[in-house]
Amino acid sequence: MFEANYHESLVPNYELPDPLVTQDGAAVSSSDWGKRRAEILSLFETHVFGKTPDQPIRVRTQVMSETESLGGKARRKEIRLYFTDQDTRPYLDLLIYLPSSASGQVPGFVGLNFQGNHSTTPEADVILSDQWMRAKGAGVVDHQATQEARGTSASRWAIERIIDRGYMVATAYCGDLDPDYDDGYQDGIHPLFHSNGAVPADDEWGTIGAWAWGLSRALDYFETDDEIDATRIAGMGHSRLGKTSLWAGAQDERFALVISNNSGCGGAALSRRRYGETVGRINASFPHWFCNNFRQYNENEDACPVDQHMLIALMAPRPVYVASAEEDRWADPKGEFLSAKYADAVYRLLGTDGLDAEDMPPIESPIQSRIGYHIRSGGHNVTDYDWDRYMDFADIHMR
Ligand code: GTR
């Protein structure tokens, strides 16, 4: 039986791979960073998340709705992205709120949600997802959303606060891309790339890879919408979807800013610390999230050629924000902080500031240098406090 370690004294000694030394042992200068970056990205593809196919998919869009919202402060749009020539699944429904006051193209935030777009807002006319839902409760019966599911995740989506600060916010249901269960990749978007029941190879993408692919398709859409400034988009995600926003931002440098909210193991937390959730445990509970090769590092973290500080470093020199919660020990807040800290050297090499902190800051004392970090009180969640800090950070680094 797995028992998580929550004692700092029982964190084993470990040595982290150096993002600034190549696999051949050569020191990396700023002019070599591009090459080293490609090497690290390829290591994450092969050993952690799996390669994303580069076969292009023609995406068709359909405006499903467009209306005033929030008492006229916002305009709301629902845009469906079809990935085949048929009007059938898989497709991705983007729910977009734009500030009415905006003149010109607006910057903003995009992130996937856990429970369907209808869960992020109480507005009764948003499309109620008929897609499979993992969670039980919160208006979900037999894995299907009911009307009672409307707004059940609204506290995690500070839509009105975001609009009030002049940003766009867009979200989509992760299950539109790949339902969150281990089905051998026979639904969602995987079959578009692996036909006739074929499965991804050991170094090819799993579910997180599919979700990250979808965030890039949202960005493709923003590039075609002249109300949105696609060059100033922050990719944001919580928990498994924070692992996803990091992986999307690592692969797709069009994301101007990347936010990891309580992303934990396989996200911002250092795997070698083996504090809270571990690689072995996550691969056992969620065998479909990462590539099969990642299982080689179950109880064998030191053998992995990367650790998660190198995922943060793949954002450099773009602004990146890592957020933890005090009671979220499963996600290892200190391990999340240390990833941010050990990515700092790459930012400095590239001539920007990195993380302006040696040690973990106290609760609710955000650091807003080019690498941002905060730990707030409370548990595993996304709160207004988190969103307010992300907007402060975006004001500094993306406006
Ligand atoms: C947990 C999982 C975490 C985290 C979380 C979530 O069960 O162990 O890695 O992703 O779910 O997504 O809320």
Side-chain angles (χ1 to χ4, degrees):
M1 241 280 283
F2 175 77
E3 223 184 291
N5 172 43
Y6 291 125
H7 298 284
E8 205 49 49
S9 61
L10 296 181
V11 169
N13 289 325
Y14 59 87
E15 204 182 311
L16 291 175
D18 188 335
L20 294 179
V21 176
T22 67
Q23 292 309 99
D24 298 341
V28 174
S29 68
S30 56
S31 59
D32 303 333
W33 172 248
K35 263 212 209 126
R36 174 59 173 156
R37 186 184 188 282
E39 185 174 60
I40 295 173
L41 184 63
S42 149
L43 292 170
F44 273 101
E45 288 174 341
T46 307
H47 299 273
V48 183
F49 296 104
K51 281 192 198 65
T52 306
D54 46 22
Q55 170 193 327
I57 292 279
R58 198 171 70 87
V59 180
R60 292 179 299 122
T61 59
Q62 186 182 350
V63 180
M64 306 300 286
S65 75
E66 201 163 359
T67 180
E68 261 202 2
S69 154
L70 303 176
K73 277 201 288 196
R75 278 191 316 101
R76 194 188 76 210
K77 303 203 265 199
E78 291 170 287
I79 308 287
R80 182 163 290 177
L81 309 186
Y82 289 107
F83 303 128
T84 68
D85 290 333
Q86 269 89 54
D87 289 356
T88 51
R89 289 194 177 279
Y91 53 71
L92 184 72
D93 279 344
L94 272 176
L95 172 65
I96 303 173
Y97 287 85
L98 290 153
S100 315
S101 59
S103 56
Q105 297 186 313
V106 275
F109 299 85
V110 62
L112 298 174
N113 63 68
F114 283 71
Q115 304 269 65
N117 294 344
H118 60 267
S119 74
T120 67
T121 166
E123 294 188 304
D125 51 344
V126 165
I127 298 169
L128 186 82
S129 175
D130 61 2
Q131 183 59 279
W132 188 91
M133 304 275 147
R134 182 180 177 100
K136 301 186 185 77
V140 175
V141 179
D142 294 334
H143 300 291
Q144 293 294 319
T146 67
Q147 293 295 339
E148 274 67 63
R150 291 193 179 281
T152 48
S153 306
S155 69
R156 287 185 170 180
W157 293 91
I159 295 171
E160 193 161 354
R161 298 172 95 82
I162 298 172
I163 290 299
D164 286 343
R165 288 183 61 166
Y167 287 104
M168 181 266 329
V169 56
T171 185
Y173 176 45
C174 65
D176 278 357
L177 296 154
D178 194 18
D180 192 3
Y181 66 100
D182 182 21
D183 67 336
Y185 306 117
Q186 297 308 306
D187 59 13
I189 60 166
H190 286 103
L192 300 181
F193 301 87
H194 310 273
S195 46
N196 303 322
V199 293
D202 290 347
D203 65 349
E204 291 183 317
W205 62 346
T207 293
I208 291 177
W211 292 339
W213 181 91
L215 283 176
S216 287
R217 299 297 72 77
L219 207 43
D220 295 345
Y221 167 75
F222 299 149
E223 288 180 340
T224 68
D225 186 327
D226 33 287
E227 297 184 293
I228 298 173
D229 184 350
T231 68
R232 290 185 296 159
I233 296 294
M236 182 275 180
H238 168 60
S239 203
R240 67 198 67 183
L241 300 176
K243 311 179 207 299
T244 302
S245 56
L246 289 172
W247 183 227
Q251 296 175 93
D252 189 340
E253 293 184 89
R254 294 175 301 166
F255 285 101
L257 188 157
V258 178
I259 299 165
S260 150
N261 191 93
N262 306 180
S263 63
C265 181
L270 291 177
S271 300
R272 280 167 173 72
R273 279 173 47 80
R274 287 152 267 207
Y275 183 104
E277 187 172 32
T278 62
V279 171
R281 174 56 195 246
I282 204 168
N283 282 328
S285 321
F286 304 102
H288 56 296
W289 281 0
F290 299 89
C291 69
N292 291 345
N293 279 345
F294 195 41
R295 300 177 193 164
Q296 295 168 23
Y297 308 107
N298 293 353
E299 289 76 53
N300 185 28
E301 293 83 350
D302 297 300
C304 188
V306 291
D307 209 320
Q308 301 305 109
H309 61 307
M310 295 158 85
L311 182 60
I312 305 297
L314 287 176
M315 312 309 157
R318 293 166 295 158
V320 59
Y321 201 114
V322 175
S324 306
E326 188 180 18
E327 290 162 23
D328 186 21
R329 296 184 309 159
W330 182 244
D332 186 13
K334 183 164 181 193
E336 294 180 320
F337 170 78
L338 289 176
S339 269
K341 172 172 163 155
Y342 295 130
D344 173 275
V346 175
Y347 280 74
R348 307 266 171 202
L349 179 78
L350 298 180
T352 74
D353 70 347
L355 182 76
D356 277 346
E358 273 302 306
D359 302 311
M360 237 174 131
I363 301 296
E364 279 137 35
S365 308
I367 298 161
Q368 301 244 333
S369 46
R370 194 110 179 138
I371 302 176
Y373 179 82
H374 73 242
I375 177 165
R376 62 156 168 76
S377 56
H380 189 67
N381 203 354
V382 193
T383 67
D384 286 350
Y385 178 86
D386 297 314
W387 274 112
D388 288 351
R389 298 299 76 74
Y390 301 151
M391 290 190 279
D392 296 344
F393 189 68
D395 285 351
I396 298 170
H397 297 287
M398 201 172 72
R399 271 288 189 198

